Structure formats: C-alpha cells, structure tokens
Amino acid sequence: MPILLNPQMMRQIIMDHYDNPQYKKVPAKPELYQQVHMDSTNCIDDITIYVLEENGMVKDCCFDGVAFTISTASTDIMCGLVNGKSFKDAMYIIEQYKHMIHEEPYDESVLDEAIVFMNTSKQAARIRCATIGWDGLESSRG
C-alpha cells in the first residue's frame, strides 16, 4: 500500500469495504465461534465479531450487525488482515493499527488497506467508529 494515498483514493477504499464487505456475515455454524458483541452509545454501531480459533490461529474472523461506513469498512479490513494469521500476529496488527489511530509510531508494513484510517484522530468522534471491530477482536483474547 503506498504511503501517499490521496483523500479520494482513501475514501474509495473505505466506500468499497462499506458497500461490499467481504467478511460481513453470520457463520454457518456460529456456535463454533467465539462471539464478541460491540456497540456504541454515540451512534448506531451494533456489531458482533465472530472468531474461530484453531491451534492458536485465526481460522476465520467475520462480523455482522448494523454499523456506519467507518465501522463497517474498518472491521471488514481487519477481518481480511487477521484471517489465517496466528493470534500473536493478529494482536500485533491490532496494536499497530491503534498506534496509527492515536498518532503514535507504528509499523505500516502490517496494515495494508487499514492505512486509509491514518487521519482518523483528526476527527476524534470517529476514533470509536474506526476501532470498534478491532477492540472486539482484541477483547476476544480475554
């Protein structure tokens, strides 16, 4: 992912993940998944993160529910980033994403399309939207 995305490119990536989220679904066998419900008191965001773990790996991560653009897009991107990764690697990705959101030094190499949320801190009200799914996956680790 290029470091210098223009605002229009960033909006397009966000809108693509909002309009056509690849990981927004209820799994065929939800009882096999750890489920973490997340909601926001400030808006309509109300999602459930589904995580299927196998041998310390994120075998499948998806989500379902109602959410605005930023929440849906960021959660969809997160699911794509962590699927097939070890939980250790997934937690590292989450940590780097949150560092980026809070304008702290971060490892851009693991964020891929999530980099489109790099300016989120400039609109403080959007931080919760951009992190709700990430917080859900992180909390699934207890």
Side-chain angles (χ1 to χ4, degrees), residues 28-93:
K29 295 185 177 183
E31 67 277 6
L32 300 178
Y33 287 66
Q34 181 172 358
Q35 300 176 35
V36 180
H37 178 254
M38 301 294 292
D39 61 4
S40 176
T41 57
N42 298 329
C43 65
I44 68 163
D45 294 342
D46 189 354
I47 62 173
T48 300
I49 308 296
Y50 297 91
V51 184
L52 181 61
E53 179 178 354
E54 190 172 283
N55 299 321
M57 302 292 286
V58 179
K59 184 171 181 180
D60 188 30
C61 182
C62 55
F63 70 103
D64 195 37
V66 178
F68 278 126
T69 307
I70 292 173
S71 305
T72 298
S74 70
T75 303
D76 194 56
I77 289 169
M78 175 201 71
C79 291
L81 284 173
V82 302
N83 274 325
K85 300 264 189 329
S86 69
F87 266 99
K88 179 181 177 184
D89 289 345
M91 293 302 116
Y92 180 75
I93 292 168

